[in-house]
Amino acid sequence: QVQLVESGGGSVQAGGSLRLSCSASGYTYCMGWFRQAPGKEREGVAVIYRGGDSTYFIDSVKGRFTISQDIAKRAVWLEMNSLEPEDTAVYYCAADRGYYRCASLNFADWGQGTQVTVSS
């Protein structure tokens, strides 16, 4: 099992920016961010694969969020711009070591979560 440690998050006004960071204790094939808002199901927000060329973004954040990684440091970052109140949620870093689990957003390893609050 890979341990994931997150940092970042906080409160910001609509239109603002935040950056989330996550570091892994071991090898991962993919790393990503999920979020869960009160009363809603958890959803995959962004994923990056080890090679770095392939990424996934949920439609609602395309053009506003970017995901990047440093493989040597086993770290991933989620840069969130033009934040909207609808982005308010607990954000979780997640990772997996298998291609199929990555592709299906069925990650095995999870961080503790960090709160992102966007006020209007």
Side-chain angles (χ1 to χ4, degrees):
Q1 185 177 4
V2 174
Q3 305 298 319
L4 300 172
V5 178
E6 303 149 338
S7 62
S11 298
V12 66
Q13 289 190 328
S17 300
L18 285 173
R19 189 187 197 212
L20 305 181
S21 303
C22 177
S23 60
S25 62
Y27 170 85
T28 62
Y29 182 78
C30 66
M31 294 182 73
W33 294 90
F34 290 68
R35 67 186 180 187
Q36 187 166 20
K40 295 186 177 181
E41 293 188 356
R42 186 175 62 194
E43 60 183 3
V45 176
V47 176
I48 188 165
Y49 290 78
R50 186 169 181 83
D53 295 332
S54 182
T55 58
Y56 160 86
F57 292 94
I58 194 172
D59 286 346
S60 60
V61 308
K62 288 179 179 178
R64 300 189 296 122
F65 291 12
T66 57
I67 188 168
S68 58
Q69 67 179 341
D70 184 325
I71 294 176
K73 296 181 179 179
R74 297 171 179 165
V76 65
W77 297 270
L78 184 68
E79 191 76 35
M80 304 184 291
N81 298 313
S82 301
L83 282 162
E84 304 168 352
E86 292 74 21
D87 295 317
T88 296
V90 177
Y91 283 70
Y92 297 90
C93 178
D96 204 275
R97 286 163 282 180
Y99 168 79
Y100 291 105
R101 292 179 69 90
C102 289
S104 62
L105 300 181
N106 187 22
F107 289 28
D109 301 309
W110 294 83
Q112 76 281 6
T114 184
Q115 178 70 44
V116 171
T117 302
V118 184
S119 58
S120 58

